[in-house]
Structure formats: C-alpha cells, structure tokens
Amino acid sequence: MFEWLNTLITPNPNPDITQSLIVLLVAISIGFFVGRLRIGSISLGVAAVMFIGLLLGHYGYRMQESILVFVRDFGLILFVYAIGIQVGPSFFSSFKKDGILFNLLAIGTVLLGGFITYLIHVITKIDIENAVGLMSGSVTNTPGLGAAKSTLQEIQNKFPTRVFNDPAIAYAITYPLGVFGIISAIIISKVALKINLSKESFICDATSDGSEVIIHEKCRVTKEEIFGKSIYQVFKELDLHDIIISRLKNSGSKVVFSPSLDSKLNKKDVLMVIGTPKNVAHFIDLVGKVSTDLFIESEDDLSTKNIFVTKEFAVHKTLAELDLYNKFNLKVTRVFRSGMELLAQPNLRLNYGDKLRIVGNNEAISEIENIIGNSEKSLLEPDFLSLFGGLFIGIIIGSIPIFIPSLPVPLKLGFAAGPLLTALFISRYGGIGIIHSYINNGAVHFMKDLGICMFFAAVGIHAGETFYVNFIKFNGWMWIYYGCYITLIPLIILVLVGRFIFKLNFYQLVGIMSGAYTDPAALAFSTKYLDSDVPMQAYATVYPMVTIFRIFIAQLLLLLLV
C-alpha cells in the first residue's frame, strides 16, 4: 500500500527527479537542525548540511547527475552574489583607513597557505586535486572548492581520458579541522600573548576616530569674528568641510528654520551642526560653544522625516542635481545606505533604496515624497530583474576565458569569483542601468543561506558515495595531519607579524584571522568570546579580497600541476 513512499525514502542508485529532490531537502533540513546544536559557544552552522549529505551519500542515497550539478553550481552562485551585495559598500569604504594593511596581511596568509599546499603535494606525492581539497577544507573556503571543481571539469572536457579525484573528499575530511583550528588559534594566541581585553578595548576605542559615525550637536555662536558673516563666508574663511547646518534659531527668537549658505550668523544664534565627531568638535571650537537650547529641536516650524529613494527619477542623481533646498526649501542631512550613515554632501549620488533624512516643512516634504518615492512596499517586493540581471552579468564575467601560455585550459573567474566581483561593483556604484543593488537584508540572508545549503548538500551527497573508501585508501588521518600545517602555520605567522610588527589591536587581529579563513563560525565565536563587534568590521574588510585570491590560488595550483 505504501510502496510509493518506500520508493521515495529508501536509497536508490538510479533516482528519478522526485527522489533526487527528496534527498536534497532531507540533507538540508536535517543538516540545518544539526548545525544549530552547540558545544559551548561553537556550532557547525550550515556546514552541518555537508556532513549530513556525506552520511546520506555513504548509505546509498543519490541524486541525478544533472540535478546535482545544477543545484551545486546555482547554490554557489547565489551564495557568493549575496556575500558581494552584503559587504560591497563597507569593503570599498574600508580602504580609506586600515583596509589596505588588513588585506595585505590576509592575502599574505592566503599565499602562504597555497605555498604550503604546493610543498605538501611535492613532498608527499598527494595528487594536486586532493591537495587543493585539503587546502580549501583546512581554511573552510567553499568558493575555492567550487572553483577547483569547475576547473577540473574544464580540464576533463578538453582531455576526456583524464580521470581526477574529487577534491570534495579531502575538503570534507579537513573542514572540521579548519573550524576548530582557527577557534583554537584565537584562544591560544590570547593566552600566549597575555592579552588584557579591557586594555585592548580601551585602546581600540581611543584609536578609533569615529570617522564613519555621523552625529548632530547644538552650537551657540559666541566668537565675535563670526558675527554678521554668512555661513558660506564662515566655511570659506575657516576652511571648513564635511559639515551641514540643518537648523538655525536666531537669538531671542523661537522660530527655527533651515538656513541657506547666505544666511547670516549673529551673536548667540543657535545652530544644529551635523558631521563626524571630529569635524563637529572642530567647527564648534571655531564658531562658539556647545548649546543646551531646546527650542531648536522643536518640530513646530520644521519637521524631520526619513524618505526612501524608490522612484527612477532620483536614482543615480546627486543631491546637487536634485537641488531640494532651492526648489523645495528642504535640506538633506544624512543618507543611510547598506547599514552605513553618510553625510549628505552635494556630490553624493543616490542609489535605489537609500534612506534620506530630510529637514523642512510638512507640505514640502509631502511634495518631495511624490518625486523621490518613499514607497517602503516597493522595497519589500523582490526585484527579480535586478537580482537575476546581476546574476546573469556575473556568470558572463565568470565565463570569460583568460588565455595564459603553458596552461592546459584558459583561466576563468568561474561561478565563484565572477558573481562575487559583479555584486561588489554593483553594490559599490548602486547598479548598472536598470539593475540596482538594493536587496533588503532579509532577502540577502535568505539567498546566502539557501545558496550555501544547496551547495553543501550537493557536494556532500556526491562525495559521500566514496568518502569512506577514500578515507581508508588515502589514510584520512594523515590528510588531517597535513591539513594542520595549512591551517596553523599561516595563522601563527599572521598573529606574530600583525601583533609585533604592525602593532594591531587584538580585536582587529582576530577579525583578520577569521576573514582570512572566510570562517563565519570563527567570527561568531570571536564576537561572543571577546564581547565586541570590532572583529566583524575587520572580517568584512578582508573577506571579498581573500575569497577572490583563494579562488585564483585553487585554480592556478590545478592548472599548473595537474
């Protein structure tokens, strides 16, 4: 009676489409549940999907080859594209500060890991495809594994008689080592370096100039040399930059208005000053003193409202081109984009989904809403044209062959680096034509987790078929031993160089360690272990560049040595 159900849920060496989907969904659902289980502060997260897939593959569960390849590659594309959209804006802005140093240290770690992998291949005679799998697993880098599998497929297409080992086997064997190795390195380095977290936190706060934070402060004009001059004259004579005056209240008056550059400043006038803490403090020192006036914050004459950019008319235009002050007597003070708060400079170009903080009267604000959009509903609805258009461009870029003499096949960015680079640049510039970068946070996280779950499930199910045989055949314990070199040596050198040569704060150093190994489990552990979000900032700074370099290293090792 229930033979149909038995057919669906029992192992089948030649599954149909329905059975393949059942196996995929079981691997993801059980894997996601197991990934939430914690041992102390540590959990496997979505990586558990791969291990459940290995278990299912070992016990005879299979997927149709065409479905498996599609799920694996499409999952990887979704994952890396979501990562690029998520970290793109902060990635580019980080280069204004310590981003170059952080990325150089992380890339050095990647190159050293690649060199150690090469030495292991030469000394132990391990096949290069297995060595690359060892490397990708030891540093928990999924895009590197995806690039390796794509490169091997390209080579096999050109040389059909060649047979290669599946690097996913070695990857699965050393992946837990990569997760626990970096977490152990964080704990051991804290103890060995005798880190005082309170002191490190104080130093981190003291050395941070808050340049990415936008604040507002009230200022009373008290300097005689300012009296009677326009805001434009004051800014020019005192060489003031990156400051916005959003409100002005004349002395003895309760009327608050949004001033123009021609507005005169008189004795005891009160200003609402907006900018970075350093610039605001500098302005107040030159103009007067901090004020406690409460009338300037009254909403009777002026209102403050957040408006979203959702109409094409405003997208990719600068604030100067919109000219809201002269046309509507409205002043934009801040722009919120991808979790960042930006000062509303005239040359700032707006992207779809930006949130503008506008000061002005209610009637004018209502009028400008019709021009800019302010449709939160539009932001909640998925824009599939932008999403799949971006994926299309990423796949095209990833498929461009780069011909290098002596290599058996052309080098390609592939399904990992192509969509990642595309997402980074789309998020940096707000879009390409009708394709924009805005995807709400919930959709980005869903796309990222769905993509990595699809990839891990497909890789695990396929590798599970021969996992045990290969573990015995190649002595998996020795692979774990070799993986220790790839995991730990670059980390040790990174800690020593970063701490003793560049004098990096320990919080930042831990973020670079996690980012250099693209390990979200290590990042989650470190933020809880150190009770700070500073590691997350350093992690986001190095993650994109590290991912690209790990993809290239995996491809080059295969193309040069296979």
Side-chain angles (χ1 to χ4, degrees):
M1 181 177 177
F2 292 102
E3 185 177 345
W4 61 271
L5 180 60
N6 184 61
T7 302
L8 285 178
I9 64 175
T10 55
N12 188 340
N14 298 300
D16 58 20
I17 294 176
T18 305
Q19 292 168 316
S20 298
L21 293 177
I22 290 289
V23 174
L24 174 68
L25 296 176
V26 167
I28 292 175
S29 55
I30 297 178
F32 216 85
F33 170 76
V34 173
R36 291 181 174 179
L37 302 179
R38 292 185 174 274
I39 302 175
S41 301
I42 305 171
S43 66
L44 285 174
V46 293
V49 173
M50 181 182 64
F51 296 110
I52 296 300
L54 284 170
L55 194 65
L56 292 173
H58 174 70
Y59 284 103
Y61 288 93
R62 302 287 182 266
M63 291 178 63
Q64 276 189 14
E65 183 67 21
S66 57
I67 296 176
L68 185 141
V69 172
F70 169 78
V71 168
R72 182 194 69 199
D73 291 345
F74 188 63
L76 180 64
I77 291 168
L78 287 178
F79 172 68
V80 296
Y81 190 82
I83 288 289
I85 290 292
Q86 189 176 40
V87 306
S90 59
F91 168 68
F92 286 99
S93 64
S94 69
F95 283 94
K96 298 177 182 177
K97 296 182 63 181
D98 299 318
I100 294 177
L101 173 60
F102 289 2
N103 275 282
L104 287 176
L105 287 172
I107 290 169
T109 303
V110 174
L111 296 177
L112 180 57
F115 180 67
I116 294 171
T117 302
Y118 168 75
L119 292 179
I120 290 173
H121 162 68
V122 172
I123 295 171
T124 66
K125 307 302 180 184
I126 290 178
D127 292 335
I128 189 59
E129 57 268 34
N130 288 331
V132 169
L134 286 177
M135 178 183 69
S136 298
S138 297
V139 298
T140 66
N141 186 253
T142 305
L145 173 65
K149 292 179 74 68
S150 297
T151 302
L152 287 174
Q153 187 62 53
E154 290 277 344
I155 298 173
Q156 195 160 42
N157 289 341
K158 187 170 183 179
F159 305 101
T161 57
R162 303 275 310 263
V163 178
F164 301 106
N165 294 309
D166 186 356
I169 303 291
Y171 176 91
I173 290 173
T174 55
Y175 189 95
L177 167 69
V179 174
F180 292 103
I182 186 173
I183 290 174
S184 301
I186 292 171
I187 297 171
I188 293 171
S189 61
K190 174 180 175 293
V191 175
L193 297 175
K194 299 179 180 179
I195 298 296
N196 183 325
L197 292 182
S198 298
K199 182 179 178 181
E200 293 293 313
S201 179
F202 176 78
I203 293 173
C204 191
D205 292 338
T207 55
S208 174
D209 61 7
S211 60
E212 298 301 323
V213 179
I214 306 297
I215 65 166
H216 64 272
E217 185 66 85
K218 292 172 288 187
C219 170
R220 186 174 294 277
V221 180
T222 60
K223 299 293 177 69
E224 291 185 11
E225 59 270 25
I226 303 300
F227 299 163
K229 293 182 179 179
S230 68
I231 294 177
Y232 175 79
Q233 287 177 294
V234 172
F235 275 49
K236 185 176 181 180
E237 291 177 9
L238 300 181
D239 194 27
L240 296 170
H241 304 282
D242 300 334
I243 285 290
I244 290 177
I245 309 299
S246 65
R247 301 184 182 198
L248 190 154
K249 184 180 80 67
N250 294 126
S251 177
S253 171
K254 294 184 180 181
V255 177
V256 180
F257 62 95
S258 181
S260 69
L261 289 175
D262 296 326
S263 299
K264 304 286 186 180
L265 299 182
N266 298 308
K267 185 178 181 180
K268 292 188 177 181
D269 284 352
V270 180
L271 314 174
M272 183 69 78
V273 187
I274 298 174
T276 63
K278 180 179 178 181
N279 289 337
V280 168
H282 180 59
F283 176 89
I284 294 176
D285 286 341
L286 295 176
V287 172
K289 63 181 182 180
V290 174
S291 172
T292 57
D293 190 296
L294 297 180
F295 284 108
I296 196 171
E297 298 179 75
S298 170
E299 301 294 336
D300 293 339
D301 301 299
L302 288 179
S303 294
T304 301
K305 187 170 184 178
N306 294 326
I307 295 181
F308 291 95
V309 178
T310 57
K311 283 197 174 181
E312 292 298 324
F313 172 80
V315 175
H316 300 321
K317 287 189 176 179
T318 65
L319 290 173
E321 289 172 335
L322 290 177
D323 196 17
L324 299 184
Y325 187 84
N326 290 323
K327 293 179 180 177
F328 303 95
N329 198 30
L330 296 172
K331 180 164 287 187
V332 181
T333 60
R334 276 168 277 187
V335 176
F336 300 87
R337 175 185 299 164
S338 301
M340 297 188 301
E341 190 174 354
L342 309 174
L343 193 65
Q345 301 284 25
N347 61 349
L348 180 64
R349 196 169 296 278
L350 300 180
N351 295 339
Y352 183 86
D354 283 352
K355 182 169 69 175
L356 313 183
R357 181 159 294 172
I358 295 180
V359 177
N361 65 67
N362 291 323
E363 184 179 346
I365 290 177
S366 298
E367 189 174 352
I368 198 62
E369 281 185 283
N370 297 325
I371 296 175
I372 292 179
N374 199 31
S375 173
E376 292 188 58
K377 181 181 178 181
S378 298
L379 297 179
L380 294 175
E381 296 173 351
D383 185 348
F384 288 115
L385 174 61
S386 292
L387 173 58
F388 288 102
L391 293 177
F392 171 77
I393 295 173
I395 293 172
I396 293 296
I397 292 175
S399 301
I400 297 173
I402 305 171
F403 294 94
I404 299 177
S406 78
L407 293 185
V409 296
L411 184 66
K412 294 181 181 179
L413 293 175
F415 291 148
L420 176 63
L421 283 174
T422 301
L424 285 174
F425 281 96
I426 286 178
S427 63
R428 168 62 178 84
Y429 294 105
I432 302 173
I434 59 174
I435 298 173
H436 59 72
S437 63
Y438 179 82
I439 302 176
N440 68 63
N441 286 333
V444 170
H445 285 291
F446 175 79
M447 184 165 65
K448 184 176 68 174
D449 288 345
L450 174 64
I452 195 63
C453 282
M454 291 170 65
F455 179 84
F456 273 149
V459 166
I461 292 167
H462 182 264
E465 182 178 354
T466 56
F467 180 82
Y468 179 75
V469 172
N470 281 298
F471 190 93
I472 300 300
K473 176 182 177 182
F474 296 110
N475 194 348
W477 296 112
M478 286 301 296
W479 279 7
I480 293 175
Y481 170 72
Y482 297 144
C484 287
Y485 289 98
I486 302 173
T487 300
L488 298 177
I489 291 177
L491 278 178
I492 293 170
I493 294 177
L494 171 62
V495 170
L496 295 176
V497 171
R499 187 68 178 178
F500 293 108
I501 296 180
F502 294 104
K503 311 298 182 183
L504 289 182
N505 182 273
F506 187 71
Y507 288 86
Q508 295 173 323
L509 194 56
V510 168
I512 297 172
M513 293 166 68
S514 302
Y517 281 39
T518 60
D519 190 345
L523 175 66
F525 168 80
S526 63
T527 52
K528 187 172 183 179
Y529 180 61
L530 301 177
D531 192 24
S532 172
D533 288 333
V534 174
M536 191 176 299
Q537 299 165 11
Y539 179 94
T541 298
V542 303
Y543 184 97
M545 195 66 75
V546 163
T547 299
I548 292 167
F549 268 80
R550 291 213 177 274
I551 289 168
F552 277 120
I553 290 295
Q555 288 183 319
L556 284 174
L557 285 173
L558 289 172
L559 292 173
L560 293 172
L561 301 173
V562 75

